[in-house]
Amino acid sequence: MRIRIRHETTYRYAEAPRAAVQHLRLTPRNHDGQHVVSWRIDVDRDCRLVQSEDAFGNILHRFTADGPIECVSTVVEGEVETFDMAGVVSGAVERFPPILYMRETPLTAPSAALRAFARETTSTESAVLAKLHALLGALYESLTFDVDATHAATTAAECFERRQGVCQDFAHLFIACAREIGAPARYVSGYFLRSDVEDQVAGHAWAEAYVEDLGWVGFDPANGVSPHENHVRVAAALDYLGAAPIRGAQSGGAGETMEVKICVAQAPVFSQSQSQSQ
């Protein structure tokens, strides 16, 4: 499947800062499950985009814009061809051994209740992959999607107590549960092609867990599935903070607001005969 994406993020300031710095993890990489056909980044300021890789192998762009700045907009758009790999992630850039992803972070630290949930949910399964699918199904059934229930700093334990949140929270919950049963797990940011709408107000997030003799396998608790050809994988890290699409800082100023507009749609694929006839 070929997926077309346009992602615009605009920051506005009530009091203009003297300068702003932003780090962008908005560029997908090729792996066996996806091929980036085209991709570009535009910033509506006079600045220089510097590309590098972060510690996890994600493509990172950064820029500094001099002020005073009333607003700054970043637009990324392109097309990605995706393939259904039944959730298995192979051919991706790997900087660390799987054991690193057993490392607990403040956003993924489990509570006693969450630890008990992970153990009880998987108690009837013996294989790690089966345990992980049991976790996926249990979380999908017990959680309610609510954009007003949480915020960017909500922890897995807090979300589990409320049983409400968004895909970011559900990914953190799955990661905490997977690590509790001994499976290395990590956070993934990206995009999801929905069947009901094209316009969205946020990107998507899910988790990946490591299974011996199989490798990294994706789990999307917000949709109760393993990632397939509707998913575009962009960045991976220990939690949201390491894979956030945009993080930044500013010098001076106040009253920052952010607006996000995302369009994820299936792109038409023309055959050779069609292109010759046009």
Side-chain angles (χ1 to χ4, degrees):
M1 179 186 296
R2 185 169 289 195
I3 298 175
R4 178 183 298 149
I5 297 163
R6 188 180 192 277
H7 181 167
E8 179 178 1
T9 305
T10 302
Y11 286 88
R12 293 185 174 86
Y13 305 95
E15 297 181 15
R18 294 184 296 274
V21 179
Q22 291 190 357
H23 287 195
L24 316 177
R25 290 176 178 84
L26 289 166
T27 303
R29 301 195 73 148
N30 295 334
H31 60 82
D32 292 347
Q34 67 184 33
H35 170 70
V36 181
V37 179
S38 63
W39 201 261
R40 69 183 185 91
I41 301 177
D42 287 329
V43 181
D44 70 343
R45 307 292 300 184
D46 184 12
C47 61
R48 177 168 170 259
L49 273 176
V50 179
Q51 180 175 324
S52 61
E53 292 185 6
D54 67 13
F56 296 96
N58 304 310
I59 295 178
L60 175 69
H61 289 87
R62 64 184 185 277
F63 69 85
T64 300
D66 295 326
I69 302 170
E70 294 183 356
C71 69
V72 56
S73 293
T74 301
V75 175
V76 299
E77 58 183 340
E79 292 188 6
V80 180
E81 187 174 6
T82 60
F83 311 93
D84 190 352
M85 304 293 289
V88 177
V89 181
S90 60
V93 173
E94 299 292 350
R95 293 285 184 259
F96 300 107
I99 192 65
L100 175 85
Y101 296 95
M102 288 296 292
R103 182 180 296 176
E104 184 179 290
T105 69
L107 288 175
T108 59
S111 61
L114 188 51
R115 291 180 187 274
F117 172 84
R119 294 192 299 268
E120 292 168 5
T121 299
T122 60
S123 62
T124 61
E125 305 292 345
S126 56
V128 172
L129 184 60
K131 289 177 181 288
L132 293 168
H133 278 291
L135 284 173
L136 176 69
L139 288 172
Y140 180 69
E141 291 297 327
S142 62
L143 300 172
T144 300
F145 194 92
D146 186 343
V147 296
D148 297 319
T150 58
H151 49 80
T154 299
T155 66
E158 291 168 340
C159 176
F160 185 71
E161 183 177 356
R162 300 170 187 170
R163 299 295 203 280
Q164 296 176 321
V166 295
C167 55
Q168 170 185 317
D169 306 302
F170 301 165
H172 285 152
L173 276 172
F174 186 92
I175 291 167
C177 289
R179 291 173 182 166
E180 176 64 20
I181 63 170
R186 61 192 181 191
Y187 182 98
V188 179
S189 64
Y191 300 98
F192 179 64
L193 175 64
R194 296 173 52 172
S195 59
D196 53 346
V197 296
E198 293 183 356
D199 294 332
Q200 304 176 24
V201 295
H204 195 49
W206 59 94
E208 291 172 358
Y210 188 80
V211 180
E212 289 289 343
D213 300 323
L214 189 58
W216 288 100
V217 182
F219 298 89
D220 181 355
N223 293 291
V225 298
S226 283
H228 45 75
E229 62 181 356
N230 288 48
H231 292 71
V232 175
R233 185 181 189 271
V234 175
L238 290 169
D239 60 19
Y240 162 77
L241 293 178
I246 299 180
R247 296 189 68 187
Q250 64 195 56
S251 174
E256 175 186 279
T257 61
M258 181 182 71
E259 180 183 4
V260 177
K261 297 178 181 178
I262 297 176
C263 181
V264 183
Q266 185 171 354
V269 178
F270 296 100
S271 67
Q272 185 174 4
S273 59
Q274 286 176 311
S275 61
Q276 290 174 345
S277 63
Q278 293 178 346

